[in-house]
């Protein structure tokens, strides 16, 4: 079935930004969706609370790759606190929309960024509010329990 993707989704899918991994990353987050089987991994380099570099590896659908790509662009050069505020809605908007059945792919991007920040906090003994890392609630989400 052909999906009706926005030009930006297609652009990020065919030419994804920041693909790869960072050796000795300060934070690494890996999340997966049990239902579709897609896996997303995000690596962060953080200096003085600023995300100086970010890379991703995604084994997934076109939307998962496009959302990972745009998410890395949205958080690169930003303070860690801003990355934590990245929502799947912001990711979808930045891509010019996603088909409803593909919204869950953007949730994966939000969660991967958050998981990487959490890893950074954990590794550095930085205290945080666990509430910030609760799973996103998304009507279209197909997370298996
Ligand atoms: Fe599962 Fe896209 S179909 S992340």
């Amino acid at each position: 079935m052909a999906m009706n993707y926005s030009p930006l989704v297609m652009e990020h899918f065919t030419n994804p930004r920041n693909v790869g991994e960072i050796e000795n990353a300060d934070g690494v987050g890996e999340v997966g969706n049990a239902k579709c089987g897609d896996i997303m991994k995000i690596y962060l380099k953080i200096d003085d609370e600023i995300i100086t570099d970010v890379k991703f590896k995604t084994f997934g659908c076109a939307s998962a790759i496009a959302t990972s790509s745009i998410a890395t662009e949205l958080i690169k050069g930003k303070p860690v606190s801003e990355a934590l505020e990245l929502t799947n809605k912001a990711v979808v908007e930045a891509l010019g929309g996603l088909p409803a059945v593909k919204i869950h792919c953007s949730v994966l991007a939000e969660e991967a960024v958050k998981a990487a920040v959490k890893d950074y906090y954990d590794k550095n003994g930085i205290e945080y509010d666990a509430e910030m890392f609760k799973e996103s609630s998304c009507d279209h989400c197909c997370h298996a329990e």
Side-chain angles (χ1 to χ4, degrees):
M1 181 181 67
M3 282 276 170
N4 199 6
Y5 287 124
S6 75
L8 251 186
V9 173
M10 288 311 294
E11 213 273 302
H12 275 267
F13 169 54
T14 50
N15 180 27
R17 326 294 199 270
N18 305 310
V19 175
E21 53 187 284
I22 297 174
E23 257 184 68
N24 303 317
D26 296 300
V28 181
E30 183 174 327
V31 294
N33 183 306
K35 200 161 176 183
C36 64
D38 290 359
I39 295 171
M40 199 180 282
K41 197 165 181 178
I42 287 203
Y43 302 79
L44 301 176
K45 192 83 205 150
I46 297 167
D47 285 310
D48 235 354
E49 294 302 303
I50 301 290
I51 297 169
T52 53
D53 199 10
V54 48
K55 293 258 189 289
F56 80 89
K57 272 185 164 177
T58 292
F59 301 95
C61 69
S63 309
I65 289 165
T67 54
S68 317
S69 171
I70 197 106
T72 59
E73 287 216 310
L74 289 170
I75 64 170
K76 199 169 183 176
K78 299 276 168 56
V80 175
S81 56
E82 262 185 54
L84 268 184
E85 285 167 11
L86 181 76
T87 60
N88 80 294
K89 198 163 167 272
V91 168
V92 172
E93 278 171 13
L95 280 174
L98 272 179
V101 295
K102 289 287 168 181
I103 296 292
H104 78 271
C105 316
S106 66
V107 173
L108 216 52
E110 175 189 327
E111 288 183 351
V113 169
K114 286 190 171 151
V117 170
K118 184 174 182 296
D119 182 50
Y120 163 70
Y121 284 165
D122 286 339
K123 278 181 179 149
N124 290 279
I126 299 170
E127 284 190 23
Y128 53 82
D129 179 359
E131 282 288 305
M132 289 191 298
F133 298 103
K134 277 183 34 185
E135 274 201 6
S136 327
S137 55
C138 166
D139 290 345
H140 308 284
C141 193
C142 57
H143 276 287
E145 292 297 309

